[in-house]
Amino acid sequence: MKIRGEHVLAIEDHARGGYPDEVCGVLVGQSAAEVTVEAVVPVANRERDAPRVRYQVAPEDLLRIQRESRESRLDIVGFYHSHPEHPARPSETDRRMAAEGISDGVVHVVVSVDGAGRAAPSAWVFRDATQAFEEEPLAVVGRRREQEEDGCRSKS
Ligand SMILES: [Zn+2]
């Protein structure tokens, strides 16, 4: 999937701001041969019982974002959420939640975040056929703050 550096930063900042709870949001863009993220929309984590290890997106938030995306000829292509003090890969809960929905090809960005503010994103695609997530290469377009970008900076 393709995502701009500023959007990765927005996801990371959201994860830091919500620590130690999980934060979540919606990825809006286009899905042709490859998913391209055009906007990142943070939403409130509606999980009440265990917001440090779970997240829930309210259906009314989803509907609103879907309506707004269509006005710009875009669609919801995926979701992001944070894993405070946990690795940047989908948990068994994430897998189960994805398996319950209509989710083939939906992109999930999982960003790990710790108390020192370190954040690391990874991207995954859920496949109905295997009922599992596959890691998806995260192609970051544009410069990222404090981080090297492949092919953009000569190694010295
Ligand atoms: Zn998770």
Side-chain angles (χ1 to χ4, degrees):
M1 64 179 279
K2 274 192 199 144
I3 185 166
R4 289 207 293 277
E6 65 196 90
H7 291 142
V8 175
L9 288 175
I11 292 172
E12 291 175 353
D13 285 347
H14 189 198
R16 289 186 191 103
Y19 181 92
D21 286 345
E22 289 198 7
V23 301
C24 53
V26 178
L27 306 173
V28 171
Q30 294 170 330
S31 46
E34 188 178 26
V35 167
T36 305
V37 175
E38 301 288 353
V40 164
V41 188
V43 298
N45 181 357
R46 304 299 177 111
E47 167 69 26
R48 286 287 162 262
D49 296 334
R52 292 189 178 197
V53 290
R54 272 181 213 166
Y55 74 99
Q56 247 186 68
V57 178
E60 60 267 30
D61 286 336
L62 266 187
L63 285 173
R64 175 178 47 85
I65 293 164
Q66 192 159 53
R67 206 167 47 232
E68 289 167 1
S69 327
R70 283 189 178 155
E71 284 167 14
S72 353
R73 295 173 170 270
L74 298 171
D75 211 344
I76 291 174
V77 293
F79 300 90
Y80 73 87
H81 73 281
S82 64
H83 277 181
E85 306 294 350
H86 282 91
R89 62 177 127 79
S91 64
E92 175 54 24
T93 307
D94 295 332
R95 196 198 64 78
R96 221 173 40 237
M97 277 170 59
E100 282 165 8
I102 302 166
S103 43
D104 192 55
V106 171
V107 167
H108 289 255
V109 168
V110 180
V111 57
S112 68
V113 61
D114 68 12
R118 280 182 292 252
S122 64
W124 307 78
V125 175
F126 191 81
R127 298 292 179 203
D128 279 347
T130 53
Q131 296 285 290
F133 283 103
E134 273 171 21
E135 189 157 15
E136 165 81 8
L138 196 56
V140 181
V141 184
R143 198 173 288 277
R144 298 186 61 189
R145 190 172 62 200
E146 304 170 320
Q147 219 154 343
E148 73 282 354
E149 196 183 347
D150 290 345
C152 245
R153 218 159 77 167
S154 59
K155 291 193 174 73
S156 55

